[in-house]
């Protein structure tokens, strides 16, 4: 027998947990399938679980550690009656009404949970290089978000990896703080749009290191530099750095939904403009799984609130 809910939320980052707070306070008793610990984090909770100081989340004038912030989100949702389940969703069937959700394995004929409304908040992951010590160094010199961490690198020499628009944008933003920003790119040609390339190249504080792949991180507990390899000549080297920003793209968590929902060319879920409504009635999406532009905890939280209100109003229409 499946457990049936009015609202089931998939994901437990700022978007999912804000949706949980709002739907719980609307007496909808949401179930949050929060995911499971991963190789990069011993708790689910999204990208903030990998972040150290968060200084740009309103309400914390002294800043707060990412995992602590997520614990606050979680206990606030629980306080109003959200049920948290630390399990991974294996399969969904979004055409059925109520919608069906399987956890652990999708092989069973009957789903584990059914829900009238489903809020998808499965987030996105920054692509990483996959080098040793990468996870440990995040927040200790290694970052995936210039907006979040640029402030910590005032007057320092730092680098950005990547050759796309994100790398150009991150590098330009970082020149507000750093004394020098080196863009390390594995080829000799940028993937970024012409206008972004021109802006980065015209910036006196930006230098380019072409045909170069970072092959390792230096530093014990805190990044002090990188080892490099020239992708054309094979020549190896070392570079001293106090900060390194990885800007090689993002992967939204859409794998469960590709059979059911529309996906943009860049992999993000499609919702109606300025709303969380997807093409399937009763299915809403919010946070970084739909946002390829802002990618901030506060915007994800705001969009989780929108999804909760959209779900709540849609559920009300069923009683009309
Ligand atoms: P992207 O366009 O996919 O570029 C990723 C870059 O990272 C590429 O230069 C790629 O190198 C490099 N890369 C990938 N894997 C790597 C690895 N393992 N080691 C080293 N380098 C690696 O991603 P994005 O820059 O995040 O942009 C995503 C989309 O958002 C794009 O459509 C972009 O136009 C858009 N965007 C727009 C703006 C804006 O207009 N303001 C800002 C940000 C993003 P190769 O070039 O060799 O493949």
């Amino acid at each position: 027998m499946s457990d049936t809910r009015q609202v089931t939320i998939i994901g437990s980052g700022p978007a999912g947990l804000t949706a949980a707070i709002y739907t719980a306070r609307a007496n909808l008793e949401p179930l949050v399938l929060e995911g499971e610990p991963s190789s990069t984090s011993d708790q689910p909770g999204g990208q903030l679980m990998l972040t150290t100081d968060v200084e740009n989340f309103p309400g914390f004038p002294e800043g707060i550690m990412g995992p602590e912030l997520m614990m606050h989100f979680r206990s606030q949702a629980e306080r109003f009656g959200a049920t948290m389940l630390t399990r991974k969703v294996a399969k969904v069937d979004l055409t059925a009404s109520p919608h069906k959700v399987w956890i652990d394995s999708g092989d069973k004929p009957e789903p584990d949970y059914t829900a009238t409304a489903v809020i998808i908040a499965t987030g996105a992951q920054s692509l990483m290089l996959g080098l040793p010590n990468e996870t440990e160094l995040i927040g200790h010199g290694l970052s995936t978000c210039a907006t979040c961490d640029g402030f910590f690198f005032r007057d320092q020499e730092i680098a950005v990896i990547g050759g796309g628009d994100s790398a150009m944008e991150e590098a330009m933003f970082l020149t507000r703080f750093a004394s020098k920003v080196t863009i390390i790119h594995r080829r000799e040609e940028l993937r970024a749009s012409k206008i972004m390339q021109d802006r980065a190249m015209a910036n006196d504080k930006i230098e380019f290191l072409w045909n170069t792949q970072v092959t390792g991180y230096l530093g014990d507990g805190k990044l002090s530099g990188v080892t490099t390899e020239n992708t054309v000549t094979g020549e190896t080297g070392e570079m001293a750095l106090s900060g390194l920003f990885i800007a090689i793209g993002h992967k939204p968590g859409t794998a469960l939904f590709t059979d059911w929902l529309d996906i943009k060319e860049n992999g993000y879920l499609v919702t109606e403009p300025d709303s969380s409504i997807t093409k399937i009635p009763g299915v809403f999406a919010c946070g970084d799984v739909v946002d390829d532009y802002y990618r901030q905890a506060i915007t994800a939280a705001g969009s989780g609130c929108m999804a909760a209100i959209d779900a709540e109003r849609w559920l009300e229409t069923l009683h009309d």
Side-chain angles (χ1 to χ4, degrees):
M1 244 315 250
S2 314
D3 173 330
T4 299
R5 298 277 174 148
Q6 289 197 80
V7 179
T8 289
I9 297 165
I10 306 176
S12 59
L17 294 181
T18 303
I21 292 166
Y22 271 77
T23 49
R25 290 193 77 255
N27 271 343
L28 292 171
E29 298 174 339
L31 170 69
V32 182
L33 297 169
E34 60 176 351
E36 283 175 358
S38 66
S39 57
T40 51
S41 171
D42 55 5
Q43 290 281 327
Q47 295 178 77
L48 282 188
M49 297 305 291
L50 300 176
T51 310
T52 51
D53 297 287
V54 179
E55 291 191 332
N56 56 7
F57 200 89
F60 298 92
E62 306 303 325
I64 183 166
M65 301 301 273
E68 193 188 347
L69 179 59
M70 292 323 297
M71 285 303 117
H72 286 318
F73 270 79
R74 195 177 188 275
S75 43
Q76 194 171 350
E78 281 184 309
R79 178 179 157 218
F80 295 112
T83 308
M84 314 296 297
L85 191 72
T86 315
R87 301 293 274 279
K88 254 207 165 98
V89 173
K91 188 172 101 174
V92 295
D93 178 349
L94 299 179
T95 51
S97 181
H99 305 300
K100 297 179 181 173
V101 179
W102 285 258
I103 54 169
D104 302 333
S105 152
D107 296 340
K108 296 162 280 186
E110 286 304 311
D112 297 287
Y113 296 95
T114 56
T116 316
V118 172
I119 297 179
I120 298 169
T122 42
Q125 282 186 321
S126 300
L127 297 180
M128 303 299 285
L129 296 182
L131 296 171
N133 296 332
E134 194 159 62
T135 311
E136 293 77 6
L137 288 170
I138 290 176
H140 303 279
L142 191 62
S143 172
T144 55
C145 175
T147 308
C148 316
D149 299 332
F151 190 79
F152 301 122
F153 296 94
R154 200 170 283 280
D155 300 325
Q156 298 180 34
E157 296 200 357
I158 60 177
V160 173
I161 303 180
D165 282 332
S166 294
M168 301 307 114
E169 195 168 64
E170 300 275 270
M172 283 186 278
F173 180 79
L174 289 166
T175 60
R176 295 179 193 199
F177 312 99
S179 52
K180 180 177 147 192
V181 180
T182 303
I183 295 178
I184 303 174
H185 183 37
R186 63 185 177 183
R187 294 186 296 137
E188 207 164 17
E189 232 171 74
L190 294 170
R191 181 178 296 276
S193 54
K194 178 84 173 63
I195 185 165
M196 300 286 276
Q197 293 192 25
D198 290 348
R199 278 188 207 152
M201 285 179 179
N203 190 314
D204 289 342
K205 283 190 175 178
I206 295 180
E207 281 185 12
F208 288 85
L209 186 59
W210 302 109
N211 295 324
T212 301
Q213 187 80 275
V214 167
T215 50
Y217 302 121
L218 301 172
D220 194 8
K222 188 169 184 344
L223 186 84
S224 61
V226 291
T227 54
T228 58
E229 183 177 309
N230 186 297
T231 52
V232 178
T233 64
E235 195 183 330
T236 57
E238 279 188 17
M239 191 176 174
L241 289 171
S242 56
L244 178 66
F245 288 77
I246 301 181
I248 61 173
H250 293 84
K251 188 171 183 288
T254 53
L256 291 167
F257 313 111
T258 47
D259 286 349
W260 314 105
L261 297 173
D262 290 338
I263 310 272
K264 286 193 237 171
E265 209 174 282
N266 63 5
Y268 289 76
L269 287 184
V270 175
T271 52
E272 284 183 12
D274 301 321
S275 100
S276 68
I277 295 171
T278 70
K279 72 172 188 185
I280 298 182
V283 178
F284 306 86
C286 56
D288 282 14
V289 73
V290 293
D291 176 12
D292 58 8
Y293 188 71
Y294 297 106
R295 299 186 177 124
Q296 299 300 303
I298 188 67
T299 47
S303 114
C305 162
M306 289 166 63
I309 292 174
D310 287 340
E312 207 179 305
R313 293 189 179 156
W314 177 79
L315 285 165
E316 268 168 27
T317 65
L318 302 182
H319 306 299
D320 287 348

